[in-house]
Amino acid sequence: MLHGSCLCGGIRYRVHGPLRDVVHCHCSFCRKAHGAAFRTRARLATRDLEFVAGNNLLTWYRSSPDQHRTFCRVCGANLITRFDLQPGEISLALGTLDDDPGVRPRAHLHVASKAPWYEITDGLAQYHAGER
Ligand SMILES: [Zn+2]
Ligand SMILES: [Zn+2]
């Protein structure tokens, strides 16, 4: 089992199942939402994530017609994204984990939207847009 939390610690969660499909996403939505060069996220089954504290602090923003990004309303930490079209699956901001998940990023997505001030220097695969 893995543990994670937001910056202020008000929201705490546990991951009970496998994390997969870890990527760095450079799309403008992820850059804006995280205030960073990219968002590193993993996919997991919705049922495998359990909030153990601060469920009431989780705030939602609909960033696309079918996507809801969440963040802590106290500290602003980005947590999960839910997909209306894929309710059984969520995306988790890996930076909020307190444990090593074991899995590692495999690719950079939406490289066409990359911040001009950030240079990718690793050997991971790069995709102009998403993969699907
Ligand atoms: Zn917080
Ligand atoms: Zn993105």
Side-chain angles (χ1 to χ4, degrees):
M1 181 171 46
L2 298 170
H3 299 84
S5 56
C6 66
L7 175 60
C8 74
I11 296 175
R12 288 185 290 115
Y13 65 84
R14 293 180 191 146
V15 176
H16 298 283
L19 295 177
R20 54 189 166 70
D21 199 18
V22 182
V23 296
H24 301 305
C25 185
H26 295 260
C27 84
S28 61
F29 287 57
C30 287
R31 288 195 288 103
K32 295 280 185 185
H34 291 254
F38 51 83
R39 162 189 173 94
T40 305
R41 58 88 169 152
R43 290 292 181 98
L44 69 158
T46 304
R47 64 171 180 276
D48 288 338
L49 186 120
E50 174 199 4
F51 285 100
V52 292
N55 215 350
N56 59 320
L57 300 180
L58 202 63
T59 304
W60 304 83
Y61 171 65
R62 184 191 293 260
S63 59
S64 305
D66 69 320
Q67 289 191 22
H68 306 260
R69 291 171 187 260
T70 70
F71 54 94
C72 173
R73 77 163 186 237
V74 174
C75 68
N78 292 276
L79 291 157
I80 60 170
T81 302
R82 291 190 194 276
F83 310 96
D84 287 349
L85 302 178
Q86 294 173 286
E89 186 168 89
I90 54 177
S91 174
L92 174 68
L94 225 57
T96 59
L97 280 176
D98 295 313
D99 300 324
D100 183 349
V103 291
R104 295 292 181 262
R106 61 171 180 77
H108 294 268
L109 301 190
H110 292 281
V111 169
S113 304
K114 181 177 78 59
W117 44 265
Y118 181 77
E119 186 185 351
I120 297 172
T121 56
D122 60 39
L124 299 178
Q126 298 185 23
Y127 297 92
H128 243 64
E131 289 175 293
R132 40 195 151 188

